[in-house]
Amino acid sequence: GQNIDQPTEMTATEGAIVQINCTYQTSGFNGLFWYQQHAGEAPTFLSYNVLDGLEEKGRFSSFLSRSKGYSYLLLKELQMKDSASYLCAVRGTASFSGGYNKLIFGAGTRLAVHP
Amino acid sequence: GAGVSQSPSNKVTEKGKDVELRCDPISGHTALYWYRQRLGQGLEFLIYFQGNSAPDKSGLPSDRFSAERTGESVSTLTIQRTQQEDSAVYLCASSLMGVAGDEQYFGPGTRLTVT
């Protein structure tokens, strides 16, 4: 089967660092995405990892270990506006010759940033 | 257009009625996806279009759900004989080609409430 696990909720303090973990078990692997979703809004793209290691983009970094089926999203210098849900999504291998790779989403982690 | 648009933004309907939800993808994007998001939960894949064809309909929960896409552009998701369990936010996303690493851009969603 396919399974993606993330913590349901996390809290952190403004200015601090928080790490949101994601573990996955999927039929094939072809990349992992992190999306941010503010309440009542559409998810927006944060990062994409397909090779092992750390991808840094400003205050946000994402790490991937394919052998462990594990990723994390690291948020530095937290701001109040970072309060949102963070969705981990894994792309499996192509299910047909057209090259389509289905994206499977975790349930998301609700992050609350406090002053 | 500038982004993915969806209409209506909110829809309240009585149990047993049919509803149509519309998605306008980003111009030139060949891949289009429909997802469902129940309150406090992650995104549940419904259907994928490549052009006007739907190679993957595996996420449609029952035969009351159908979708079509015309002109490699607009897509309509139809739910017949709505049930209260259909209440959710229905999100549409599009991507350039639907291949690995291809970022999905989400619309704002349609919030469906079945009374």
Side-chain angles (χ1 to χ4, degrees):
Chain A
Q2 308 199 87
N3 197 43
I4 299 178
D5 288 316
Q6 316 177 224
T8 305
E9 292 185 353
M10 298 183 72
T11 59
T13 305
E14 194 175 14
I17 299 173
V18 70
Q19 177 175 312
I20 302 174
N21 297 325
C22 172
T23 58
Y24 63 89
Q25 293 172 315
T26 57
S27 54
F29 178 84
N30 209 350
L32 186 144
F33 291 79
W34 283 96
Y35 281 82
Q36 180 190 60
Q37 186 178 26
H38 285 99
E41 298 182 13
T44 55
F45 170 81
L46 287 178
S47 68
Y48 171 68
N49 293 68
V50 65
L51 300 176
D52 290 349
L54 189 68
E55 294 280 342
E56 297 189 75
K57 193 186 290 188
R59 294 190 298 115
F60 293 5
S61 303
S62 56
F63 172 83
L64 174 67
S65 169
R66 288 171 295 171
S67 62
K68 296 181 179 177
Y70 168 69
S71 172
Y72 68 72
L73 180 69
L74 193 71
L75 291 77
K76 304 175 187 174
E77 300 169 17
L78 281 171
Q79 302 175 9
M80 298 296 290
K81 67 178 182 180
D82 297 330
S83 294
S85 285
Y86 292 85
L87 308 176
C88 173
V90 173
R91 174 158 267 154
T93 49
S95 59
F96 75 108
S97 60
Y100 161 64
N101 306 88
K102 182 184 292 186
L103 208 57
I104 306 297
F105 281 83
T109 299
R110 277 194 305 279
L111 173 67
V113 180
H114 300 291
Chain B
V4 179
S5 60
Q6 293 185 245
S7 61
S9 55
N10 278 285
K11 177 72 177 178
V12 180
T13 189
E14 291 180 355
K15 178 181 172 181
K17 301 279 190 184
D18 298 352
V19 294
E20 281 190 356
L21 312 179
R22 177 187 168 108
C23 172
D24 284 87
I26 293 173
S27 178
H29 280 193
T30 62
L32 186 147
Y33 314 79
W34 282 99
Y35 295 89
R36 178 169 69 178
Q37 187 174 32
R38 291 198 168 107
L39 187 64
Q41 298 186 21
L43 275 65
E44 177 188 1
F45 168 81
L46 297 178
I47 188 170
Y48 156 71
F49 285 92
Q50 181 62 258
N52 293 333
S53 301
D56 189 349
K57 307 178 184 179
S58 62
L60 294 178
S62 75
D63 58 8
R64 296 187 295 105
F65 287 72
S66 63
E68 65 173 15
R69 189 180 185 194
T70 56
E72 297 196 357
S73 180
V74 173
S75 176
T76 303
L77 177 69
T78 301
I79 309 174
Q80 296 178 308
R81 307 181 301 281
T82 51
Q83 304 293 312
Q84 288 185 331
E85 71 224 34
D86 300 334
S87 295
V89 175
Y90 289 82
L91 289 162
C92 173
S94 70
S95 68
L96 192 58
M97 295 179 67
V99 298
D102 204 22
E103 179 187 339
Q104 294 186 21
Y105 295 82
F106 284 84
T110 294
R111 182 174 298 279
L112 176 65
T113 304
V114 182
T115 60

